[in-house]
Amino acid sequence: MLQAYEPSSGTVTVTHIVYALHTTSILVGLTTGASIAGAFIFSWPSILAVILNYVFRGDAEGTYVESHFAWQIRTFWMATLWLVLMFIIGTVLMFIGLGIFVFVIGFLVLGVWVAYRIIYGWLKLGRHEGLPL
């Protein structure tokens, strides 16, 4: 049961910081030439966020914050996996002229998905609620 214990204020603060770092990456993707997905995966705020997730995840065990750490880590690695698959499929389809569509649509969909997960998770954290595992 994830909500067996109340998390320490420090653990909740780290969780907010991780969401803030991921949000910073998303904003970089929106306001620069980078895509949301690219900035989310390759920018230093998101990389630092994932490192913080792994370092402090033991402190969240047995609390509702544990689900947020799992959600954040999974969001980062699933986005990375989808980006790699998108590049493989897009590159193969370039030979028949469809690769550019895979890239454009793929980056758009992945960016929306990443932004949704970060916003949704941060809102749930603000309400002291866990996330589905």
Side-chain angles (χ1 to χ4, degrees):
M1 175 114 188
L2 292 177
Q3 298 182 9
Y5 303 104
E6 191 63 28
S8 71
S9 63
T11 303
V12 173
T13 299
V14 168
T15 311
H16 279 290
I17 290 169
V18 168
Y19 279 122
L21 288 167
H22 283 313
T23 301
T24 300
S25 292
I26 290 168
L27 292 174
V28 165
L30 280 173
T31 59
T32 67
S35 68
I36 293 173
F40 182 78
I41 295 166
F42 297 112
S43 69
W44 68 264
S46 280
I47 294 169
L48 178 59
V50 171
I51 292 168
L52 288 172
N53 276 142
Y54 282 112
V55 169
F56 290 101
R57 123 174 118 169
D59 297 343
E61 283 185 25
T63 70
Y64 71 89
V65 177
E66 181 178 11
S67 66
H68 286 273
F69 275 67
W71 180 268
Q72 292 163 337
I73 290 169
R74 197 171 352 171
T75 300
F76 181 84
W77 289 115
M78 288 299 294
T80 302
L81 174 66
W82 281 108
L83 188 67
V84 168
L85 289 174
M86 186 174 56
F87 269 112
I88 292 169
I89 293 167
T91 302
V92 169
L93 292 178
M94 278 292 201
F95 294 109
I96 59 171
L98 296 175
I100 192 69
F101 297 111
V102 171
F103 291 132
V104 170
I105 293 169
F107 273 106
L108 179 65
V109 170
L110 186 56
V112 169
W113 180 80
V114 162
Y116 162 77
R117 285 188 56 102
I118 297 305
I119 293 166
Y120 179 76
W122 209 354
L123 289 172
K124 293 285 258 184
L125 179 64
R127 293 191 299 259
H128 305 282
E129 297 175 4
L131 291 163
L133 293 175

